[in-house]
């Protein structure tokens, strides 16, 4: 059986931004005499493909002529290496990391040729850049060169005067590197602890998380010895507060994190990825606390960020639209959400679908269609959500999707199908130990709904379920599901014989006035 061709060349080409693609072609042509060489032909052919087709590429590049597989493999391999080299060259123009590496290489070259004064000047210049960007690994190497250049010149006077200060700088660098490493390890431990159930509903798991957070290093941000470490400190607490559903503390922590990040705009320009995440998380928290003006502020900031890569641009698109949809959903403006969804889907076409994780959007698509009463489209979005690859870390959302599936088919009047779905949902939840108070009441209501013989009995059933939900929403370990979907508004729409969208909007206005 022939070996399946690797698609890594296809993946890297599809991940390039427009400027990166243009730079690659200039890079290749500046190094090759033949402007129509097969590297660019293959690059363009892959870039034009919607999905990877190795055999089609072979025929296109060699025009149907017989060609050895090894020769084609070598062509692809060399093109991959060319792309990597062009990206390195592209990054050297803007990346601080590359600038510092280049400076160190220049220092070494000057040193070998005994240009010691030039070495010293370049060392001091590079040290300022490394300190500004908290690049402590590079700073340590520069300090080593500072001593080495003084030593080779037998500048004993300089060493005698400066050595204590250089050694103190080295110790400080090592101390800060160790401090950052400690915070990173705590961050990763927190991630591992909560990702299997992104919103904890188990007291045992919350207790375990409390023990993890109860460490001297996390008692105060003063223990963080650098800007990088302080950012990690606030990110750790952001994850913690979100997981234990402490939204007021999450809001304060998120606000402090953004304020801290915005004090160093030079770092945000170098790598905006963490700032994108911080804005997104803060917008989500403001939405939960109904601070909608602050959500809009976050959306404006997200739109103004200039991504350095196509991946940055994709993340900005995802975070902007997911938070915009959430804002419309919170306020019950489902028609505005539908219009924004059409713009989002049009803009999304410039990104390769392979690099776009749509799980969160399928849920929002479902919510928006449900809100405008388009149950067929809501069902399609929900089925796409349910058919995503299942992983342990998304068990909470997979369980919620199955509950919403029951409610949707209930709305559509699919009585016979509901009996099957009820059994399969129960089995799914039971095998994953996901039957809590909320799930138990929903399953019981759907099961009993066939027994209601009149609208009055059905309305009474809705009223009882609403009372149960209101009681559950006050229990910390249960209220998380009510943050995902407004189940109480759905029940009010059934009780008051109105649309779901109207019920959500009325609840929003009542909360604003109250």
């Amino acid at each position: 059986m022939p070996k399946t061709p690797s698609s890594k060349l296809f993946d890297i080409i599809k991940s390039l931004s427009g400027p990166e693609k243009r730079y690659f072609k200039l890079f290749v042509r500046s190094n090759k005499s033949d402007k129509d060489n097969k590297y660019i032909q293959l690059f363009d052919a892959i870039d034009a493909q919607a999905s990877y087709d190795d055999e089609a590429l072979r025929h296109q590049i060699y025009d149907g002529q017989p060609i050895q597989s090894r020769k084609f493999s070598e062509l692809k391999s060399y093109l991959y290496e060319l792309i990597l080299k062009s990206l390195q060259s592209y990054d050297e123009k803007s990346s601080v990391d590359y600038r510092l590496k280049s400076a160190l290489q220049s220092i070494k070259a000057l040193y070998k040729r005994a240009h010691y004064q030039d070495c010293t000047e370049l060392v001091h210049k590079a040290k300022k850049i490394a300190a500004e960007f908290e690049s402590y690994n590079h700073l340590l190497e520069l300090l080593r060169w500072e001593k080495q250049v003084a030593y080779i010149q037998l500048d004993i006077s300089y060493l005698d005067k400066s050595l204590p200060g250089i050694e103190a700088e080295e110790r400080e660098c090592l101390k800060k590197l160790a401090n950052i490493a400690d915070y990173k390890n705590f961050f990763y431990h927190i991630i591992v602890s909560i990702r299997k159930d992104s919103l904890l509903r188990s007291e045992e798991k919350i207790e375990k998380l409390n023990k993890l957070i109860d460490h001297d290093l996390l008692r105060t941000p003063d223990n963080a010895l650098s800007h990088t470490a302080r950012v990690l400190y606030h990110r750790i607490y952001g994850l913690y507060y979100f997981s234990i559903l402490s939204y007021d503390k999450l809001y304060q922590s998120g606000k402090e994190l953004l304020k801290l990040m915005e004090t160093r705009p030079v770092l945000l320009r170098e790598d905006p990825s963490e700032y994108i995440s911080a804005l997104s998380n803060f917008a989500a928290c403001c939405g939960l606390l109904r601070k909608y003006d602050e959500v809009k502020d976050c959306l404006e900031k997200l739109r103004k960020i200039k991504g350095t890569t196509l991946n940055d641009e994709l993340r900005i698109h995802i975070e902007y639209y997911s938070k915009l949809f959430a804002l419309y959903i919170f306020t019950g403006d489902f028609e505005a959400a539908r219009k924004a969804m059409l713009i989002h889907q049009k803009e999304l076409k410039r990104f390769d679908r392979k690099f776009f994780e749509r799980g969160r959007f399928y849920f929002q698509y479902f919510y928006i269609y449900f809100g405008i009463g388009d149950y067929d489209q809501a069902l399609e979005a929900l089925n796409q959500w349910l058919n995503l690859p299942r992983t342990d870390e998304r068990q909470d959302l997979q369980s919620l999707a199955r509950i919403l599936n029951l409610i949707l088919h209930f709305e559509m009047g699919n009585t016979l199908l509901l009996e099957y779905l009820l059994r399969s949902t129960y089995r799914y939840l039971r095998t994953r130990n996901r039957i809590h108070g909320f799930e138990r009441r929903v399953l019981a209501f759907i099961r009993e709904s066939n027994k209601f013989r009149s609208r009055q009995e059905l309305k009474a059933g809705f009223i009882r379920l609403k009372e149960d939900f209101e009681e559950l929403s006050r229990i910390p370990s249960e209220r998380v599901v009510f943050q995902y979907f407004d189940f109480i508004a759905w029940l009010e729409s059934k009780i008051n014989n109105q649309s779901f969208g109207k019920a959500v909007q009325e609840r929003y206005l009542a909360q604003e006035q109250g």
Side-chain angles (χ1 to χ4, degrees), residues 287-320:
L288 291 169
L289 295 174
R290 298 193 294 277
K291 298 178 183 290
Y292 300 119
D293 286 340
E294 292 186 67
V295 173
K296 294 173 184 176
D297 289 341
C298 288
L299 291 174
E300 288 182 13
K301 288 182 179 181
L302 277 168
R303 272 303 209 195
K304 291 178 181 177
I305 298 174
K306 295 189 180 298
T308 58
T309 66
L310 187 64
N311 185 57
D312 286 338
E313 293 174 13
L314 175 60
R315 289 192 61 207
I316 292 166
H317 175 98
I318 290 172
E319 300 304 339
Y320 174 81

Side-chain angles (χ1 to χ4, degrees), residues 313-367:
E313 293 174 13
L314 175 60
R315 289 192 61 207
I316 292 166
H317 175 98
I318 290 172
E319 300 304 339
Y320 174 81
Y321 276 104
S322 65
K323 299 307 176 293
L324 180 63
F325 294 156
L327 177 63
Y328 287 139
I329 288 168
F330 279 136
T331 57
D333 196 348
F334 290 104
E335 187 54 40
R338 185 189 66 81
K339 292 177 181 178
M341 181 171 62
L342 295 176
I343 298 172
H344 143 75
Q345 290 172 337
K346 184 178 179 180
E347 289 182 7
L348 199 60
K349 291 179 181 178
R350 70 189 187 93
F351 301 107
D352 191 274
R353 289 188 63 177
K354 183 170 182 178
F355 302 101
F356 174 49
E357 207 299 302
R358 302 182 68 160
R360 79 174 85 179
F361 282 114
Y362 284 135
F363 169 62
Q364 291 184 315
Y365 298 164
F366 160 80
Y367 211 143

Side-chain angles (χ1 to χ4, degrees), residues 250-310:
L250 176 63
Y251 171 79
Q252 292 300 329
S253 177
K255 199 168 189 176
E256 289 175 22
L257 175 58
L258 287 176
K259 183 179 178 181
L260 174 64
M261 285 182 156
E262 289 166 357
T263 62
R264 303 290 291 274
V266 66
L267 296 181
L268 300 185
R269 287 193 295 272
E270 172 68 11
D271 182 5
S273 58
E274 288 191 2
Y275 186 56
I276 294 168
S277 296
L279 277 171
S280 173
N281 293 336
F282 187 65
C285 177
C286 290
L288 291 169
L289 295 174
R290 298 193 294 277
K291 298 178 183 290
Y292 300 119
D293 286 340
E294 292 186 67
V295 173
K296 294 173 184 176
D297 289 341
C298 288
L299 291 174
E300 288 182 13
K301 288 182 179 181
L302 277 168
R303 272 303 209 195
K304 291 178 181 177
I305 298 174
K306 295 189 180 298
T308 58
T309 66
L310 187 64

Side-chain angles (χ1 to χ4, degrees), residues 154-181:
L154 294 177
D155 193 346
I156 303 304
S157 174
Y158 178 82
L159 283 174
D160 183 49
K161 179 182 177 181
S162 302
L163 195 56
I166 295 173
E167 289 176 341
E169 281 188 81
E170 286 177 326
R171 287 193 295 271
E172 187 67 15
C173 278
L174 290 168
K175 189 177 179 182
K176 288 179 177 178
L177 280 170
N179 185 252
I180 290 170

